[in-house]
Amino acid sequence: MSRALGAVLLAFAVVFAAAWVRYSPPRPLPASAPPERFSAERARELQRAIAGDGVVTRAQGTPGHERAKGELVDALSRLGLNPEVQHAFVCGRHGSCGFVENVVARRAGSDPNASAVALMAHYDSAPASPGASDDGVGVAAVIEAARALSHDPPQRRPVVIVLTDGEESGLLGAEAFAQLHPLAKSVRSVVNVDARGSHGPSNLFETSTNNAWLVGLAAKNLERPVSSSLFYEVYRRMPNDTDFTVMKATANGVNFANLAGIDDYHTPLDSIANADIGTLQHHGEQVLAMARALGESTEAEHPPAGDATWFDVLSLFIVRWPAGFTLPLALAALALVVGQAIRMRAFGAKGLFASLATLGGGALATVAAGLAMKASGALAVPWIAHPAFPLAALHGAALFGGLSVAAATTREATPRGTWAGTWILWSLLGVGAAYVAPGTAYLFVVPALAAGLTAWLPIEITSGLAAVVAGILWLPLDTPIYDAIGFIIPPVIAISTIVLLSALPPLLRGLPRAVWIGMGVVTCAAIGVATLQPLFSTVHPQRANVLFRQDEDAAHAYVQTSWGTLEWGSPPRSMLESLGPLEMLSPRAPLPVSLPCPSVETTRITVAAPALEVEKSSVENGHRHVRIRLRSLRGATSLLLVFGDGKAPRNVVISSHGQVASSSRGWLVLRGIPTEGLEVDMTADGPDPIDLTLMDVTPGVPKDTPAAKAVDARRALEGVAVPFQEGDITIATKHARL
């Protein structure tokens, strides 16, 4: 191994260690901290109060929800903010409608004509979760930030505290505030906080459009920034949403979230005991800094046009430039590298393709390792109890594939030739990224510029310096990539290793065969150990719900380990056996949002089906018009309307509240249904009757049924399996042709 290669690998190790330290949340400040500072220990008391005993959910309509709402009103009242509870019925964009109770307060600014800054978080939780982190951490961060602001002189712009309800039901609270609350018209900036896990740093992962000025504020005011345009580019292409999705339609702002600790997400494990207080500290510092910056900003009311490309450097500072400069910078890097290669007379066929071959070899080997672990069942679910060996296998495979190819392709190539091939490839990747996703291009453009600008130095030095710059940008991505997507696409987990290897061919000439052969042995051993390890543990339990559904013609018990398109593995065998003989089980989808899951037909019990009263049914101008009243006879507060063939009527109006419902997915969820029910008007294309299945949903399953036995079987697993999302539920259905 050359000295230069050894120095680069040592630098990589230092960067990785620095990233591990810098991207860990900061230490919490004590309750004795100065009053104008954010203190996680002060905020923790409120987080603990709204999370309760760690068992009770804060889902809409539950006692935990009512108790938490009271805690928030009391906390804001103690700050002298005169909070109000916004009671509203609203329909959202995700096929849901419901009653919500937002908690809203306002602190006046010094300029009576200035628009407001909203600090937002949601206080409801998923039905199966106490929500200490999702989003108890956000609520506590917002209120403690508001307390710290109260010790400042009034800012120029007023601050509106918006603690939303019904986020887990489809962003309903944010919709209610945006559509119906009088203060919403004054809000032009938003700082939102959410959580997808129980620990990890606070990531500024999303902004509104025309974000260059916002990124500038973040760069000047965040002491420990964790942010990049890479996060922004990836997230805006994903189907995920937060309350910020609603607000950014009319306001500018930033969105913070932590990603680590998905083991606890939307399960009973999302408790105070598992919520990292350092994460609370980091969220609070970020919220407070941006609230102060936006509160005095004059750009917020009339934001200048233009987006930014940006990234933090080891959470020390943010580097940024106008997004419009990204493609010119990429082209400049390409021109500079090509010009240097011409100057050095560095062109040679063997050297030019060494980096590309190294990149391809690492990628193919990682794909093979991922497929092998998928086939063996080691990666049967996205996140597993013991990820260390699968991670080692994937990164080891990248090293084996990349180094073995590099050893072959650099053997007869000159260092100058491999330098030219390496950085021309990186420059071309930067140009391509600048065209397709400008926010990601910095990952290639900055190292390529470093290579071109230092090319007058000896080849080993310029190659090493550029590789270290690449390492500073790529190595910090290792942890958040796993937190974000798990093993859904295994090769992506090792992308930093794959890409960084392609920066090293100029330093790999003469690499001993024992190095890459050793990496192959390590990879095979890691795959073997990964295959033998259990997928689940009490720290990382399997998600498994039990459902009892009774239709008009049959009753079924289900064990469900999927939600939407995300699967959590085959259900525990003991839970399936509790339903009856395994050969009697058949796959069925109990809900429109579910994938098929094991079910067994069981004895019918006394469960009142939901009531559906037809108040009007007629054909006018060739279209079917129907008015119905829906209610539950067993006290269910959630109703689900499923339309025949997955095709909803073109117009669905909750006429008792004047809200137009979005039912484009072929179903509609109604939350918080009162005892008198709801009146619904529907208009269908054409005169044919409307086929409808009405479901009412209650928590828990009936006693003395196979579903209850499955719950007992899960309990016997002693925490290796837990409910998630909606939790265990009973569904009663009624079919109608209207």
Side-chain angles (χ1 to χ4, degrees):
M1 182 185 295
S2 69
R3 288 184 178 179
L5 179 59
V8 169
L9 295 180
L10 177 61
F12 281 176
V14 170
V15 169
F16 188 80
W20 188 268
V21 172
R22 289 296 303 170
Y23 292 107
S24 297
R27 290 184 178 180
L29 289 186
S32 59
E36 70 277 5
R37 298 289 302 276
F38 184 96
S39 162
E41 287 194 4
R42 285 191 289 250
R44 186 69 153 193
E45 293 306 310
L46 178 62
Q47 186 185 20
R48 182 177 289 108
I50 63 174
D53 58 8
V55 176
V56 177
T57 178
R58 292 197 308 280
Q60 292 165 273
T62 63
H65 177 275
E66 188 67 20
R67 175 186 48 76
K69 180 183 66 178
E71 293 283 356
L72 301 182
V73 170
D74 289 346
L76 292 170
S77 297
R78 288 193 294 270
L79 298 179
L81 292 177
N82 299 317
E84 62 163 313
V85 177
Q86 178 195 10
H87 302 274
F89 182 91
V90 70
C91 289
R93 62 193 66 194
H94 295 297
S96 61
C97 303
F99 291 90
V100 293
E101 297 178 296
N102 295 330
V103 179
V104 182
R106 181 181 184 273
R107 182 186 186 225
S110 61
D111 182 351
N113 298 316
S115 64
V117 180
L119 307 185
M120 295 185 69
H122 70 90
Y123 76 92
D124 65 310
S125 74
S129 171
S133 290
D134 181 23
D135 189 24
V137 69
V139 171
V142 164
I143 292 182
E144 169 64 8
R147 185 210 56 76
L149 286 172
S150 70
H151 291 272
D152 294 349
Q155 295 176 283
R156 187 181 71 83
R157 304 174 68 194
V159 174
V160 178
I161 310 299
V162 186
L163 306 175
T164 63
D165 188 13
E167 191 270 356
E168 302 290 359
S169 299
L171 317 180
L172 294 182
E175 294 281 8
F177 178 78
Q179 293 180 31
L180 305 172
H181 201 286
L183 285 177
K185 295 179 181 179
S186 69
V187 171
R188 288 294 176 270
S189 298
V190 176
V191 180
N192 187 66
V193 194
D194 211 331
R196 210 207 57 175
S198 57
H199 54 275
S202 175
N203 296 275
L204 196 173
F205 70 99
E206 185 185 15
T207 70
S208 52
T209 56
N210 292 318
N211 60 28
W213 70 278
L214 282 165
V215 175
L217 283 183
K220 294 173 184 175
N221 292 280
L222 298 184
E223 292 185 8
R224 201 179 180 106
V226 180
S227 183
S228 78
S229 50
L230 170 68
F231 300 162
Y232 175 65
E233 285 281 8
V234 172
Y235 184 79
R236 70 193 184 100
R237 288 168 166 78
M238 295 175 69
N240 299 351
D241 286 315
T242 68
D243 283 341
F244 188 69
T245 305
V246 175
M247 299 302 297
K248 69 182 181 181
T250 56
N252 50 67
V254 292
N255 202 4
F256 293 100
N258 58 291
L259 297 178
I262 197 171
D263 301 333
D264 308 325
Y265 182 59
H266 283 187
T267 76
L269 296 183
D270 188 6
S271 62
I272 282 290
N274 292 327
D276 183 8
I277 192 171
T279 297
L280 176 57
Q281 180 69 39
H282 200 196
H283 274 315
E285 290 176 355
Q286 306 269 62
V287 170
L288 183 57
M290 290 305 297
R292 283 173 169 153
L294 287 167
E296 298 296 339
S297 171
T298 57
E299 294 177 302
E301 276 118 341
H302 305 285
D307 286 323
T309 294
W310 76 95
F311 56 91
D312 74 88
V313 177
L314 296 176
S315 195
L316 295 168
F317 55 87
I318 289 177
V319 176
R320 58 194 167 96
W321 60 77
F325 288 10
T326 300
L327 181 57
L329 281 173
L331 293 171
L334 176 60
L336 183 59
V337 169
V338 171
Q340 294 285 24
I342 293 172
R343 180 187 65 80
M344 292 188 294
R345 299 179 182 178
F347 292 104
K350 293 179 180 179
L352 283 177
F353 292 101
S355 181
L356 180 60
T358 301
L359 185 70
L364 289 174
T366 310
V367 169
L371 290 174
M373 287 189 286
K374 287 275 190 180
S376 70
L379 303 182
V381 293
W383 294 271
I384 60 178
H386 306 287
F389 282 97
L391 290 172
L394 291 170
H395 287 280
L399 290 168
F400 166 73
L403 291 176
S404 60
V405 171
T409 55
T410 60
R411 188 175 297 116
E412 298 180 9
T414 65
R416 289 185 176 185
T418 52
W419 182 95
T422 295
W423 297 109
I424 288 174
L425 173 64
W426 276 65
S427 299
L428 289 171
L429 291 172
V431 171
Y435 270 111
V436 177
T440 68
Y442 73 88
L443 291 164
F444 299 101
V445 172
V446 173
L449 283 171
L453 292 171
T454 60
W456 282 274
L457 299 172
I459 286 295
E460 286 194 338
I461 295 178
T462 179
S463 299
L465 288 174
V468 170
V469 170
I472 291 171
L473 299 180
W474 281 92
L475 286 170
L477 299 179
D478 275 343
T479 300
I481 285 177
Y482 176 71
D483 291 335
I485 67 169
F487 292 112
I488 293 175
I489 309 174
V492 175
I493 294 297
I495 191 169
S496 62
T497 299
I498 295 169
V499 173
L500 286 177
L501 275 173
S502 73
L504 296 181
L507 304 175
L508 295 177
R509 191 165 179 264
L511 186 72
R513 180 179 299 180
V515 174
W516 59 266
I517 291 178
M519 292 312 307
V521 172
V522 168
T523 299
C524 292
I527 291 174
V529 175
T531 302
L532 298 175
Q533 290 185 314
L535 291 174
F536 307 107
S537 68
T538 54
V539 175
H540 179 93
Q542 183 172 22
R543 290 154 166 80
N545 288 340
V546 181
L547 297 85
F548 180 87
R549 172 173 166 172
Q550 184 158 296
D551 298 332
E552 292 178 322
D553 56 351
H556 284 80
Y558 301 78
V559 175
Q560 179 191 54
T561 56
S562 65
W563 195 259
T565 58
L566 193 60
E567 296 186 72
W568 298 95
S570 300
R573 185 179 179 88
S574 61
M575 293 181 70
L576 296 180
E577 289 175 340
S578 70
L579 296 180
L582 297 182
E583 62 271 15
M584 297 299 292
L585 302 184
S586 60
R588 292 174 178 264
L591 292 165
V593 294
S594 303
L595 294 172
C597 54
S599 73
V600 64
E601 189 166 345
T602 184
T603 305
R604 293 176 59 81
I605 63 173
T606 302
V607 175
L612 188 158
E613 302 169 16
V614 180
E615 298 182 350
K616 174 185 175 183
S617 181
S618 62
V619 176
E620 301 172 17
N621 299 320
H623 300 294
R624 172 72 61 178
H625 297 274
V626 175
R627 173 172 292 176
I628 55 177
R629 179 167 291 277
L630 310 174
R631 59 193 180 96
S632 172
L633 300 179
R634 59 192 190 96
T637 59
S638 294
L639 294 177
L640 179 61
L641 284 67
V642 183
F643 299 100
D645 299 324
K647 185 178 180 181
R650 68 172 180 174
N651 191 31
V652 179
V653 179
I654 314 302
S655 47
S656 48
H657 295 278
Q659 284 280 322
V660 177
S662 170
S663 53
S664 58
R665 301 180 183 182
W667 47 268
L668 177 65
V669 180
L670 304 176
R671 301 279 191 178
I673 306 304
T675 55
E676 66 273 17
L678 289 176
E679 192 175 71
V680 180
D681 280 301
M682 296 182 288
T683 302
D685 288 320
D688 294 337
I690 299 171
D691 290 320
L692 175 67
T693 298
L694 177 63
M695 305 180 181
D696 68 356
V697 182
T698 53
V701 297
K703 296 179 180 179
D704 302 322
T705 65
K709 293 178 181 178
V711 172
D712 291 339
R714 185 184 61 206
R715 190 176 297 115
L717 294 172
E718 298 181 338
V720 179
V722 296
F724 70 111
Q725 293 284 146
E726 293 289 322
D728 303 334
I729 55 176
T730 294
I731 308 165
T733 73
K734 183 179 183 64
H735 306 283
R737 187 170 173 82
L738 308 171

